[in-house]
Amino acid sequence: MQERGAMAELAALVKQARSGDAEAYGELVNRFSAAVRGMCLMRAADPARADDIAQQVFLTAWKRLPDLNEDAPFWPWLEAITRNHLLNEWRRVQRERGLKQRYTVAWLAQSESEHASEDAEDLALRVEVLRQCVETLPEKLRSLIRMRYDDGYSSEEIAVVLGRTSDAVRQTFVRVRDKLRECVERKLSSQGAI
């Protein structure tokens, strides 16, 4: 019975907000801000960026509120807007990452041409040995590495996904890097490459 009352109250707030009532919309923002921010924290590069995206979501929703079907439930509609903003953020990050990669490739090409070819061979050997060492890690640690280096998640984002503190995630990365460094040095030493 209370649930019906809450749903009726929510429907009334949405109706008032659709007619331009800013206070009613403010109440909707208060009710749904934690859910929207939580979604944004799962994907944004940092908490401040998550807050920016959440704010953009609510601005977009306010502008589009008259388009919301009168009988449509509010949360799925707001969730779809949030997903669209997160997708746009992901695209923006990918564009920036692509630019960084292009500049990195150009820098590496210039650097490589300035150095002897044995430096490139040495680098290729070190990369291959590093890949071998990563494969020796337990799956949980390989998954962390993929999240950080393949997917581009920050320590804070990984912490949210895993339900850990960002300090704990950073400490884990320090230990993993130490293990990988030891493994690479050991393998290169055994191959006589050091």
Side-chain angles (χ1 to χ4, degrees):
M1 193 69 167
Q2 287 180 337
E3 187 174 320
R4 276 190 188 163
M7 289 176 64
E9 182 184 347
L10 178 61
L13 279 173
V14 171
K15 185 175 183 176
Q16 291 170 341
R18 285 182 74 237
S19 67
D21 186 336
E23 284 185 38
Y25 187 70
E27 180 59 31
L28 290 171
V29 170
N30 287 337
R31 289 185 183 199
F32 291 96
S33 63
V36 168
R37 187 171 187 271
M39 285 179 68
C40 294
L41 278 171
M42 294 289 285
R43 288 295 186 187
D46 62 72
R49 188 65 189 133
D51 288 340
D52 290 345
I53 296 168
Q55 185 175 9
Q56 291 171 7
V57 166
F58 284 111
L59 286 172
T60 299
W62 174 247
K63 291 175 188 173
R64 294 186 184 165
L65 199 53
D67 300 334
L68 175 63
N69 187 331
E70 192 171 323
D71 298 328
F74 184 72
W75 170 244
W77 177 76
L78 185 62
E79 185 179 25
I81 292 173
T82 305
R83 288 181 194 281
N84 284 336
H85 276 278
L86 290 171
L87 180 59
N88 290 338
E89 173 69 5
W90 179 82
R91 288 177 180 148
R92 183 191 66 79
V93 168
Q94 294 305 312
R95 278 192 305 274
E96 287 179 6
R97 188 175 291 152
L99 287 173
K100 287 178 187 175
Q101 286 174 346
R102 277 182 262 167
Y103 286 121
T104 301
V105 167
W107 177 82
L108 284 174
Q110 179 184 1
S111 177
E112 189 173 308
S113 67
E114 293 171 0
H115 298 294
S117 64
E118 63 263 7
D119 288 343
E121 290 171 11
D122 181 55
L123 178 61
L125 175 64
R126 287 178 178 275
V127 168
E128 180 54 34
V129 169
L130 177 59
R131 283 191 184 127
Q132 292 170 7
C133 289
V134 167
E135 289 304 312
T136 67
L137 294 173
E139 176 55 34
K140 283 185 178 181
L141 294 179
R142 288 196 315 265
S143 176
L144 276 178
I145 289 172
R146 280 191 299 272
M147 288 175 77
R148 179 70 182 104
Y149 297 104
D150 292 345
D151 300 333
Y153 286 102
S154 68
S155 296
E156 290 77 16
E157 290 174 310
I158 294 170
V160 169
V161 170
L162 299 179
R164 299 173 66 191
T165 66
S166 55
D167 285 340
V169 170
R170 281 191 280 276
Q171 289 172 0
T172 300
F173 276 117
V174 167
R175 287 192 300 272
V176 167
R177 287 182 192 118
D178 288 344
K179 277 184 176 184
L180 289 173
R181 184 170 36 272
E182 290 170 8
C183 177
V184 167
E185 289 172 0
R186 187 173 56 250
K187 284 182 177 283
L188 289 175
S189 177
S190 71
Q191 294 178 10
I194 291 185

